[in-house]
Amino acid sequence: MAQLEAAPPTASGAERPAQRRVRVQIRKVNPWSVLRFSLLFYFCLMLVALLGLAILYGILSAAGVLDSVSELLTDVGFGDRQGNFEFDSGYIFRTLFLIGLISTILWAAFTLVVAFLYNLIADLVGGIEVTLIERR
């Protein structure tokens, strides 16, 4: 269903080249490609979030905020047997990485379910219609 349409003339009187418009329907998405894309996308999102948290942790540590909070938590009663509280950055970031991996897998599975639902619904209603324009 391709249609060629002539573009209106420009101010100088010369015609622009014709643009080709094509209307297509997206009737099916490949679940395997959706899974691969979503796993990579959510993993990159997790890495960006962890990098941002690491930068924030470094800034708070350099500013002395973490020391103040650890003193406050020690005074309140949290801490080890000697009564000291410390932030263990290794434990914090290992736990956040594990939570991020689990979240990546869960969100990718959710995206895969949405792809399957789209395929089922597209069989009933015909999918999404998109108009593509070729520029020359």
Side-chain angles (χ1 to χ4, degrees), residues 48-82:
V48 167
L50 282 177
L51 180 66
L53 288 173
I55 292 170
L56 181 64
Y57 185 87
I59 290 171
L60 291 176
S61 179
V65 174
L66 294 180
D67 294 333
S68 299
V69 171
S70 67
E71 287 178 21
L72 175 69
L73 291 174
T74 300
D75 293 343
V76 173
F78 291 101
D80 57 8
R81 292 185 180 151
Q82 288 82 24

Side-chain angles (χ1 to χ4, degrees), residues 46 97-107:
M46 177 198 69
F97 184 76
L98 187 62
I99 290 170
L101 280 181
I102 292 169
S103 298
T104 296
I105 293 168
L106 289 176
W107 278 108

Side-chain angles (χ1 to χ4, degrees), residues 85-101:
F85 182 87
E86 284 187 26
F87 287 103
D88 184 9
S89 61
Y91 174 76
I92 290 171
F93 284 102
R94 276 193 311 269
T95 305
L96 286 175
F97 184 76
L98 187 62
I99 290 170
L101 280 181

Side-chain angles (χ1 to χ4, degrees), residues 1-127:
M1 181 184 233
Q3 301 171 354
L4 282 177
E5 297 179 3
T10 59
S12 64
E15 288 189 24
R16 285 189 257 158
Q19 292 181 345
R20 193 172 86 162
R21 291 178 177 241
V22 179
R23 292 175 55 182
V24 295
Q25 284 184 337
I26 302 173
R27 293 189 148 244
K28 184 178 188 229
V29 289
N30 187 357
W32 176 245
S33 66
V34 169
L35 179 65
R36 288 183 304 174
F37 180 81
S38 61
L39 279 172
L40 186 63
F41 175 76
Y42 291 123
F43 185 74
C44 290
L45 197 65
M46 177 198 69
L47 290 179
V48 167
L50 282 177
L51 180 66
L53 288 173
I55 292 170
L56 181 64
Y57 185 87
I59 290 171
L60 291 176
S61 179
V65 174
L66 294 180
D67 294 333
S68 299
V69 171
S70 67
E71 287 178 21
L72 175 69
L73 291 174
T74 300
D75 293 343
V76 173
F78 291 101
D80 57 8
R81 292 185 180 151
Q82 288 82 24
N84 297 327
F85 182 87
E86 284 187 26
F87 287 103
D88 184 9
S89 61
Y91 174 76
I92 290 171
F93 284 102
R94 276 193 311 269
T95 305
L96 286 175
F97 184 76
L98 187 62
I99 290 170
L101 280 181
I102 292 169
S103 298
T104 296
I105 293 168
L106 289 176
W107 278 108
F110 174 72
T111 306
L112 185 64
V113 168
V114 169
F116 278 120
L117 284 175
Y118 175 81
N119 287 339
L120 290 173
I121 293 171
D123 285 341
L124 295 174
V125 297

